[in-house]
Structures are given as C-alpha cells and as structure tokens.
Amino acid sequence: MSRLPFRRALAAAAASAVLLAGCTMSSEVTTATSSTTTTTTQTSTSSSDDTASSTAWTTISTAVMDASTGAGVAEILAANDAVADVSTAADDAGTWDAASATTVTLSDAGTTVEGTDASGVTVDGSTVTITAGGTYVLSGTLSDGEVVVDANGAEVRLVLDGVDLTNADGAAVNVVDAGEMIVVLADGSTNSLADGATYADTSDEAPTATLYSSDDITITGTGALEVTGNANDGISSRNGIVITGDTTITVTAVDDGVRGKNYVAVESGTLTVDAGGDGLKSSEDTDEAQGFVALGAASVSLTTGDDGISATTDVTIDGTELTVVAGGGAANAVGENAEESPKGINAGVSVTVDAGTVVVDAADEGMQAVALNVNGGTLNFTTGDDGVNASNGDVVVRGYENADSESDDGSVYTQTGGVVTIDNVASDGLDSNGSAHVTGGLLVVNGTAQGPDGAVDVNGSATTVGVAVSVSATAGETVTVAGSDGSSQTFTMPTDADSVTIVGLTDGVSYTVTSGSGSATGTAAAMNGMGMGGGRGTMGGGTGGGMRGPRP
C-alpha cells in the first residue's frame, strides 16, 4: 500500500509561524502590526460544522503565493497540518486481535455484548453507547437504531463485520468523543449505514452525517461500506478524515459526500461518491494549515451536484485515479451569472498534481485555484466554461488588490510535466487571470489558437509557446508531436478533434503533428491571448482559502 508523505508536523509548524506575518482576514475591525494589516469578521453558515469559524482568510501574502507557485505535492503537504495516520498494519488488512476484542451483535430483538470490554458498552433499547477504549466488533442489523461513541480521550476501534444499521431520525454512527477513532472494515465484509431524511436533534452540536465524528476519524480495512446520507452529508468530521487500507466505500448523500472540516485525506482504496452537493470537501477557513484535500494512490469517482472537490486551501493529487462529473458535466453548462457553478476541482489557494490520471467533466470550470501546479500525470477536462482557470476566486493576492477581469490578478498556472488535454470547451482552454508558464509536458486544447474564448488566454506574463494545426484525430488515437530539433512527444486524444493547439514547445522550432488521419506542420510561437479573460471565478462553496507561509 502506498501512503502519502503526511508526517511533516515540524515543517508545518515552521511554515505556520511564518504565515501569521503574511495573511489578512476580511474586515469589520482593522488593526495594524509591524508586518501586516489584520482585519476580522464574524462568520457563520447553515452547517453546524462551520459555526465555530469566527474569522475567514481572504488575502494571500506575497510569500505564500511565491511558495505555492510551481510547488510539488510534498511541499504543499509539508506546510499543512500533519494528517492523523493512526491505523496499524492489522487495521489496514481488516484484521484484529479476537482475544482482546468485544463483540456487539446488533439486533432489533435485542443487542448483545460479550468480551473483554463489555463493561464499556451500554445498550438502551436500540441505542448502543461505547464509553471506554478498546476494540469492538460489530455485526448484525438494526432497522432503527444508532451506535454512539463517547469515550473521553480513549482509543476506540469499531470493526464493522457485516453491519446493516439505519437510524430513522439521526446519525447511524455518532462519535461524540474519542482520542483516536478508527473504523475497520473487516476483511471480506459488506456493511451498510443509513440515516433518515430528518434528525430529531437539530442543535448546533448535533451530527450532520450518517457516519459522523466530532474528532479525527480513520476508515480502513479491506471490506466494503455503503453509506447513505438522506438528510445531509454521508461521512463528516469536525476535524479530519483519513481513508486508507484497501477499502471499497460507496457514499450517496443529499449534500456533501465526504466532508472533513480540517482535512480529507484519501490515501488508498476505492471511493465512489454520488452527492447533491460537493463530493469531497474541507471547509476550515480560519487556520492556514487546514482546509485541504489530499489524494494518494486511490481510485476516486465523484458524481456531484456542485464541486467534485472543494477545499478552502489546497488540493493535492499524487498517484490517484480520479474521475469527476460535476453538475451534470459540460452538457449541462452553466451561464456566467448562474447561482451554482459546479467545478471539477476547486481550491482557495492551490491545486497540485504530481502523478495520476484525472478525468473531469464539469458544468463550469474543470480546475480552479490561485496557484495551479501540474508536475506530472495525465489530465483531461471537458467543461462548460474554462478548461483550467487560474483565478483569485473569492480571495485577493497581496499587491493585486485593484485587479479587474482584464488585468493580472496575481494567480499563476505552472506546468512542468504531464499531459493536460482540454476538450470542447465553451470558453477558454487555459485561462489565467494572472500568469501562465508551461515549461514541460504538453497542454493540448481542441479548438482555436488564442484570444478570448480560445485555447490560451493569459492576462499577465506567459511562457506559452505552441502551435495550432488543423489535423483530425479520433478518441483513443495516439498523436505524435515531432520537432525539427529531433524532439518527439506523444499523447492520446481523449475525444474526436478536427484541430488542436499544443503548448509546451520550443519557440521557432517546426513541429509536425501526426494522427492516424494525417499530419500538419507549424512553427512554434508565443501564444498569449490577452483580452477579456474568463472572468474572475468564485469558490462557489464558501469564503476564500486559508493561507500559509513559505513552503519549507
């Protein structure tokens, strides 16, 4: 099993210390310090997970922007809080020590408890409450019941080994308090959790998801879990969520699929989400080192009504097989003034891709952040608006406070490797409201050469050298780009095309683009379509991203 490089607490602490001298918050009261001007405002939202937020970051410092531009996944994660990787090898394998475990057999006729820590379990009708640390192996069925974990500061393992649990008026599993909360999907098991359409408890502290935790929660093992969120979210934590092991998890939710306020880390396994809101979401907007989504060597499929992935700060992708259909896809393209703007991947500060396969079909932009970094991988975007959009969204980059839709807003698209293909866009292929630099890999856009609503539209400085040629290619066909300097690169055409613009080439070199249907030749030149731009996108899921200091 491949894990993300998450254990970087010391680096994150150092980065956070630098950050505090470089960020500002939105304003009601303004106070000046020697290093920055800090403005604050009180905020609240309809989600109880967000009501603790009192200040929202809205300005990115120059140091943060410099550190985020062109960064790799390891650098981004090093500046964030360390993820709570607490599962053991046995947990990840879906096994446990039966001799020290307590068995809880769920039944509408009466739940039974046996084993070492049986005294740590109380059964009151259809409510099972765990109040002590230990390993608890759950099996059986409750058609209208709940499992509550309220074990102050204790390490609790819930092993789901054939559980079918529904709560008609609340969360199926509600973790009120635990020092370490680990849910293990037993090897070979199939499990199901569901809630009702309304909750009896609607207080600020009430759960808002079928599988809900007030603390960090890890889901691991080798079994399967189906989660249905009929009221709100599927899986949610007021802190962080880690999905690891070789799990197979399917989430269907009225609102967000998997929501970790501090972070969502999907390290491995298979995750499928069908959500009316966002697919994966992290919403913390008051701590510069939180509010991120990190994807590792996992298979993730998201079908969403709103954003596929929404993060207040960062999204990182490293070795992931990611598929997103957001807002019904490009066929359901939204207008410029639409209330909803479903994006494939949406982050307040940065999106960084080091490796993997990303396929996005979105009603709005395919990928948006202030800093977009593509260092490797294969990415394909089919979109109702811009393919990829470097934009300051709901935040401001220091020094660019007065930017409008036709000027440089401080955002940056950087590509040093990989292949990015953008298909049948309704607006620009690559749209940067700031700068764009493609110095490695290939950026391929089906369509016209440049200008507003063309292949490349950059408001600021640009390193976007390429050719635009009329050559037909069919989906799945290999296209070769051969230069007169002896260079040769290939890519696979994801859809049918009559013409392509290819960026990432060398100025003045002649290139022949060959497909199965023929070839065409052009001389590479700078492509920088100054013009109206694609407008300044919005986060669409909340206020601007949290900021942090220079990457160590």
Side-chain angles (χ1 to χ4, degrees):
M1 179 186 68
S2 175
R3 291 230 181 186
L4 292 168
F6 286 128
R7 296 188 180 277
R8 303 177 183 275
L10 293 177
S16 298
V18 177
L19 164 90
L20 294 177
C23 298
T24 62
M25 305 173 193
S26 62
S27 61
E28 284 291 340
V29 179
T30 302
T31 58
T33 70
S34 60
S35 59
T36 185
T37 299
T38 301
T39 55
T40 63
T41 184
Q42 299 296 315
T43 64
S44 62
T45 73
S46 59
S47 170
S48 63
D49 284 349
D50 290 332
T51 55
S53 296
S54 59
T55 55
W57 302 95
T58 58
T59 300
I60 303 177
S61 72
T62 302
V64 169
M65 196 62 211
D66 288 347
S68 299
T69 300
V73 166
E75 294 171 285
I76 299 293
L77 293 178
N80 288 328
D81 275 359
V83 167
D85 269 327
V86 297
S87 62
T88 67
D91 294 331
D92 296 342
T95 61
W96 63 95
D97 181 7
S100 61
T102 299
T103 61
V104 180
T105 304
L106 306 175
S107 174
D108 290 334
T111 295
T112 59
V113 182
E114 297 180 357
T116 305
D117 296 309
S119 61
V121 183
T122 61
V123 179
D124 182 8
S126 60
T127 298
V128 177
T129 303
I130 296 171
T131 57
T135 298
Y136 301 88
V137 183
L138 277 61
S139 63
T141 300
L142 278 179
S143 59
D144 186 10
E146 62 179 333
V147 173
V148 178
V149 177
D150 194 357
N152 185 18
E155 181 180 293
V156 177
R157 278 176 174 76
L158 286 187
V159 180
L160 305 187
D161 189 15
V163 170
D164 186 354
L165 173 60
T166 298
N167 186 355
D169 60 2
V173 176
N174 180 14
V175 181
V176 177
D177 191 359
E180 292 183 359
M181 185 66 229
I182 303 168
V183 175
V184 178
L185 306 183
D187 186 31
S189 69
T190 300
N191 306 277
S192 176
L193 303 175
D195 63 359
T198 58
Y199 282 17
D201 185 356
T202 57
S203 66
D204 287 345
E205 300 301 316
T208 57
T210 303
L211 174 52
Y212 182 83
S213 179
S214 295
D215 294 309
D216 291 333
I217 185 170
T218 295
I219 305 172
T220 186
T222 54
L225 173 63
E226 181 177 336
V227 179
T228 303
N230 293 303
N232 196 16
D233 302 336
I235 302 172
S236 181
S237 170
R238 284 181 180 268
N239 291 336
I241 296 174
V242 177
I243 297 175
T244 188
D246 191 18
T247 55
T248 300
I249 299 173
T250 302
V251 179
T252 304
V254 171
D255 195 13
D256 301 329
V258 180
R259 177 182 180 129
K261 186 176 183 183
N262 293 354
Y263 57 80
V264 174
V266 184
E267 297 181 349
S268 55
T270 300
L271 174 64
T272 303
V273 175
D274 188 340
D278 301 322
L280 306 180
K281 183 169 188 172
S282 186
S283 58
E284 176 55 60
D285 59 6
T286 66
D287 189 323
E288 68 283 349
Q290 299 177 356
F292 62 92
V293 174
L295 305 183
S299 176
V300 179
S301 178
L302 310 172
T303 303
T304 62
D306 206 346
D307 297 337
I309 301 175
S310 175
T312 319
T313 55
D314 306 309
V315 174
T316 60
I317 298 171
D318 191 4
T320 316
E321 293 184 10
L322 173 64
T323 302
V324 179
V325 178
N332 195 35
V334 298
E336 185 173 346
N337 298 316
E339 289 186 12
E340 300 296 334
S341 55
K343 297 171 174 55
I345 305 169
N346 191 15
V349 179
S350 70
V351 176
T352 301
V353 182
D354 275 7
T357 301
V358 177
V359 179
V360 171
D361 186 2
D364 200 50
E365 283 94 358
M367 180 170 71
Q368 176 174 294
V370 184
L372 295 174
N373 305 310
V374 179
N375 304 308
T378 302
L379 297 79
N380 173 238
F381 299 96
T382 303
T383 59
D385 201 345
D386 302 326
V388 293
N389 184 25
S391 168
N392 62 13
D394 291 335
V395 301
V396 175
V397 178
R398 189 178 295 281
Y400 297 85
E401 291 85 353
N402 297 319
D404 58 30
S405 62
E406 296 186 37
S407 59
D408 186 344
D409 70 359
S411 55
V412 185
Y413 175 86
T414 305
Q415 184 175 344
T416 61
V419 176
V420 178
T421 55
I422 301 171
D423 309 310
N424 305 322
V425 293
S427 189
D428 301 310
L430 165 61
D431 181 8
S432 177
N433 291 353
S435 303
H437 304 284
V438 182
T439 59
L442 292 177
L443 173 73
V444 181
V445 183
N446 294 349
T448 57
Q450 60 181 22
D453 298 331
V456 179
D457 184 11
V458 183
N459 287 3
S461 64
T463 309
T464 50
V465 175
V467 296
V469 296
S470 296
V471 60
S472 296
T474 57
E477 194 170 38
T478 298
V479 177
T480 301
V481 184
S484 58
D485 59 356
S487 64
S488 181
Q489 301 184 71
T490 62
F491 64 91
T492 301
M493 184 64 70
T495 60
D496 295 348
D498 294 325
S499 64
V500 294
T501 297
I502 302 170
V503 178
L505 306 178
T506 301
D507 193 19
V509 173
S510 176
Y511 289 89
T512 299
V513 180
T514 303
S515 70
S517 303
S519 64
T521 300
T523 300
M527 293 184 171
N528 181 2
M530 297 289 290
M532 294 176 63
R536 298 174 69 180
T538 62
M539 277 290 291
T543 55
M547 322 308 162
R548 95 271 300 129
R551 312 293 183 187

